[in-house]
Amino acid sequence: MINYERLLPLINASKNVAIISHVIPDGDTLGCGLAFQSVLLKMGKTVDFFCDGEVEDNLLKVLGNFKMNEQTVQSYDLAIAIDCSSFDRLGIYYNLFRKSKKRVVIDHHISHQKFGDIDFLEIRSATGEMIFDLVEKHYSQYIDEYFAKCIYLSILTDSGAFAFDSVSKETFEIISKLYNYKVNFANIYYELMRNQKLSTFKVQSYAKSKALFFAKNQIAFITFSLADFQHNNGVESDTFGAINDIINIEEVKIAVSLTEVNVRNFRVSVRTKGEISASEIAQSFGGGGHKNASGFRINGYLENVIDDILKVCKDNL
């Protein structure tokens, strides 16, 4: 467990704090960011929450309404980047982070690149585990139902519903402690892991019907083009989770999902099994993440992009 003694004086000395989550926000970066914000607000701090990206509907259903990207002060005594493996993950809020008097990063990615005054790095199932440890040890009087809900959301989503290798004994010990608070965990699981819009079903079914398999079915690609979205009346968020169905195929060891977010600009997700490193594949294209779940962005014509990624995947089999 990390020693956060260097962080405590910074928190105590700061009146204005900015918490910044990563671009294309997921349950971990939002959950642990909002959980920590709730604690600092109870301590009497001014705390603004920033994130460069749209929040998925199912996450909003769980988290409820919250203020985001509203700068209430001219400058910040302390900026905390949550669940960010590199400075570019802050998106348009990197300058806000850079201009703050003190800069701290709390992250759990194996591909982490230091960019704060102090970087706290620990390879855990989710950054939410790290925030829980910090708050339980030093600010336990501020833990409440909302904090517990946010931390559960964080760990549930980034652990693949407790299915990834990063899940540990400590993960389940934290979850058991969260049960002391009146949170409807079954409802959160349903909203995030089961509930699906009709447009999501159509977009994903169409993409799966034209999945590509290579290297004796050990490598699989699933693609979502702008034309696909138009054809199925869908949006980018309808793609989330589809890659898990591909990596779950018995023969598949590497699954790649390509989503065209702008013309010939793709968001790429990579999932792997066993000792094959998704992070190493992603790092070949300037990305990163976890051992078995990573991502990056790439430009080009779809056929060329697939060829380039496929070559790296074959090298990593």
Side-chain angles (χ1 to χ4, degrees):
M1 185 183 298
I2 284 182
N3 186 332
Y4 290 99
E5 294 299 331
R6 295 175 67 194
L7 176 58
L8 305 184
L10 296 180
I11 291 175
N12 293 335
S14 300
K15 293 182 179 180
N16 305 316
V17 181
I19 293 180
I20 310 174
S21 289
H22 65 64
V23 296
I24 315 174
D26 58 16
D28 188 19
T29 196
L30 291 172
C32 58
L34 291 170
F36 200 29
Q37 180 192 40
S38 72
V39 170
L40 296 178
L41 285 172
K42 287 183 177 180
M43 294 173 65
K45 312 291 184 183
T46 296
V47 191
D48 294 335
F49 183 79
F50 299 93
C51 182
D52 181 6
E54 295 292 325
V55 180
E56 295 177 53
D57 289 342
N58 60 348
L59 291 172
L60 287 173
K61 285 181 181 179
V62 173
L63 292 167
N65 295 323
F66 59 90
K67 291 184 178 180
M68 185 171 79
N69 304 336
E70 296 182 15
Q71 186 169 348
T72 62
V73 296
Q74 208 166 33
S75 61
Y76 294 95
D77 304 315
L78 174 64
I80 304 173
I82 295 282
D83 195 37
C84 296
S85 57
S86 58
F87 73 88
D88 57 303
R89 297 289 286 159
L90 299 177
I92 63 173
Y93 294 108
Y94 172 66
N95 280 334
L96 186 149
F97 179 83
R98 183 177 59 84
K99 292 178 180 178
S100 299
K101 293 178 183 177
K102 297 293 181 181
R103 296 162 293 273
V104 170
V105 184
I106 302 175
D107 184 42
H108 74 128
H109 292 94
I110 194 171
S111 59
H112 183 82
Q113 302 170 18
K114 292 184 178 181
F115 62 97
D117 299 324
I118 306 175
D119 287 61
F120 295 99
L121 173 65
E122 190 172 13
I123 309 304
R124 305 283 289 271
S125 76
T127 306
E129 286 196 35
M130 300 173 68
I131 296 298
F132 181 86
D133 289 346
L134 165 63
V135 173
E136 182 190 40
K137 184 173 182 179
H138 300 287
Y139 308 110
S140 60
Q141 67 270 32
Y142 301 122
I143 297 178
D144 60 10
E145 178 184 345
Y146 180 77
F147 177 89
K149 176 174 71 174
C150 288
I151 294 298
Y152 179 76
L153 166 71
S154 165
I155 297 173
L156 176 70
T157 52
D158 237 38
S159 69
F162 312 107
F164 294 161
D165 288 344
S166 56
V167 173
S168 65
K169 172 186 173 184
E170 288 73 26
T171 305
F172 290 109
E173 287 175 345
I174 291 172
I175 296 299
S176 70
K177 292 175 182 177
L178 297 179
Y179 269 87
N180 293 322
Y181 302 88
K182 297 177 181 179
V183 179
N184 190 335
F185 294 110
N187 182 64
I188 294 173
Y189 183 92
Y190 174 77
E191 288 293 346
L192 296 177
M193 301 296 168
R194 295 288 185 85
N195 198 19
Q196 187 179 80
K197 296 184 298 181
L198 180 59
S199 63
T200 301
F201 174 81
K202 288 183 176 181
V203 166
Q204 295 194 7
S205 296
Y206 184 70
K208 291 172 190 176
S209 72
K210 53 189 181 71
L212 303 171
F213 295 87
F214 305 93
K216 297 181 179 179
N217 299 325
Q218 295 180 94
I219 301 171
F221 280 70
I222 185 171
T223 63
F224 302 90
S225 69
L226 294 175
D228 293 342
F229 293 132
Q230 187 174 10
H231 177 75
N232 293 285
N233 195 30
V235 294
E236 182 184 350
S237 61
D238 287 324
T239 68
F240 297 150
I243 192 172
N244 296 325
D245 292 332
I246 305 303
I247 194 62
N248 286 341
I249 297 171
E250 183 177 6
E251 294 89 348
V252 175
K253 295 180 179 179
I254 302 174
V256 180
S257 172
L258 296 106
T259 301
E260 190 175 18
V261 293
N262 291 299
V263 177
R264 292 189 291 280
N265 174 253
F266 297 89
R267 174 175 55 81
V268 184
S269 297
V270 182
R271 298 291 184 271
T272 58
K273 289 175 180 171
E275 294 305 309
I276 300 174
S277 175
S279 179
E280 288 185 14
I281 294 171
Q283 286 179 45
S284 299
F285 298 94
H290 309 287
K291 177 185 174 184
N292 296 119
S294 292
F296 58 94
R297 296 289 284 265
I298 191 170
N299 297 312
Y301 288 95
L302 179 60
E303 296 80 4
N304 295 336
V305 166
I306 290 175
D307 286 344
D308 291 343
I309 299 173
L310 178 60
K311 182 180 183 302
V312 174
C313 289
K314 287 180 175 179
D315 290 342
N316 282 268
L317 271 180

